[in-house]
Amino acid sequence: MRALEPTIFYYEPLDAEVYISPRLNARRFTARWRNGRVLLSAPRYASEREALSVLDNLASSLKGMRPAPLYAHGAVMRFDNGEIHIATQTNIPGRIISDCEFDDGRYKITIGLPPDADPSAPDIARLVSRLICERAKWLAHLMLIPQAKLVAERIGQHPTAWGISSGLRILGRCDRRGIISLSYALIFAPTDIREFVICHELAHLREMNHSPRFHEILEEYCGGREKEYTRRLKAVKWPFVK
């Protein structure tokens, strides 16, 4: 039997792209919205006809579940230390532009969309996300490093060096040379969650693995709230299209 191939196509009933993703261990079809398109997970050896039939049956419910665009015109995303504004701009026709302000510890990232730009379209959403990432990388050096140094000084740990990384899944890293890297994405996390990630990496200066001893150290650094902070970190809503 021929295996189903990954496929992306426009599906008119939903006015959206559909990505059929065959999964080796999948036993049934599942569908969900992701970044403005429908992700239809399918058993590896299902047929295209079966996949389309499932999609037709789910179309009505999927239409009702469609999330609002992350980057809608006029949207404002607020964080502890700043904001992202999705504005409509007519100064440069046909272009998506970005600007960034930083003053007194607070930032404002502005993304300017042409009036006819559809921010729910996957290609536009990815471009907006990339522009936000570029601005965040610049801001991270101004925000994360000073905060990290203050936390390290307070608990009496001194890394060899600090750096900014580009990971959106791995938010911090400490290597065996004592160099700690923090993801620029952390500027969008609550202030105490950023501090928790910093404490996590500082704890690795004393214990490189995640042994019980490591968690004892981390609990000491974060006031016995590791489980609470871990749960809240998992719930952070990042302003990126991944």
Side-chain angles (χ1 to χ4, degrees):
M1 184 182 293
R2 184 178 177 182
L4 187 65
E5 296 294 329
T7 307
I8 298 177
F9 61 96
Y10 173 74
Y11 183 64
E12 187 171 355
L14 293 175
D15 189 24
E17 288 184 344
V18 172
Y19 174 42
I20 298 179
S21 174
R23 302 293 178 89
L24 185 60
N25 297 322
R27 296 184 178 182
R28 60 188 180 89
F29 290 90
T30 59
R32 61 189 175 93
W33 288 96
R34 182 177 180 183
N35 302 333
R37 66 162 58 125
V38 171
L39 174 62
L40 181 66
S41 296
R44 189 77 173 96
Y45 290 97
S47 68
E48 285 190 18
R49 180 177 293 181
E50 288 176 299
L52 290 173
S53 176
V54 168
L55 190 59
D56 289 341
N57 290 333
L58 292 176
S60 178
S61 59
L62 284 169
K63 188 177 294 186
M65 295 163 52
R66 186 169 194 160
L70 179 62
Y71 305 128
H73 285 270
V76 178
M77 290 171 270
R78 293 182 171 85
F79 308 92
D80 273 15
N81 295 94
E83 300 176 342
I84 297 175
H85 290 242
I86 308 299
T88 304
Q89 67 86 20
T90 56
N91 294 329
I92 308 178
R95 293 280 302 278
I96 297 176
I97 61 176
S98 67
D99 187 31
C100 184
E101 303 170 22
F102 184 71
D103 183 51
D104 196 26
R106 295 193 59 81
Y107 60 83
K108 178 182 177 182
I109 297 173
T110 302
I111 304 296
L113 299 175
D116 59 348
D118 178 8
S120 67
D123 57 338
I124 292 179
R126 285 191 292 270
L127 176 55
V128 171
S129 181
R130 181 170 62 80
L131 292 173
I132 291 173
C133 288
E134 290 175 359
R135 295 299 184 174
K137 289 174 185 177
W138 177 74
L139 287 167
H141 290 277
L142 302 176
M143 295 177 58
L144 294 182
I145 302 301
Q147 182 183 6
K149 288 180 176 179
L150 287 174
V151 174
E153 188 66 31
R154 190 187 75 229
I155 65 179
Q157 290 296 322
H158 303 285
T160 305
W162 295 96
I164 299 298
S165 64
S166 297
L168 297 181
R169 297 186 184 276
I170 299 176
L171 299 176
R173 186 185 299 275
C174 177
D175 67 21
R176 294 192 176 277
R177 298 170 296 172
I179 299 174
I180 292 178
S181 299
L182 302 170
S183 169
Y184 64 83
L186 286 169
I187 73 164
F188 301 115
T191 304
D192 58 348
I193 297 300
R194 292 201 301 268
E195 182 167 323
F196 170 65
V197 174
I198 293 166
C199 287
H200 182 111
E201 301 312 320
L202 289 169
H204 279 310
L205 294 176
R206 294 171 59 185
E207 194 75 24
M208 283 302 296
N209 54 33
H210 291 98
S211 65
R213 173 61 179 151
F214 166 83
H215 290 288
E216 289 176 7
I217 296 168
L218 181 54
E219 285 279 35
E220 175 190 339
Y221 288 172
C222 67
R225 300 170 68 183
E226 180 188 0
K227 289 184 179 179
E228 173 197 337
Y229 287 141
T230 299
R231 183 180 68 254
R232 288 178 54 205
L233 177 58
K234 291 179 180 178
V236 171
K237 296 187 181 302
W238 307 101
F240 308 119
V241 172
K242 297 184 180 179

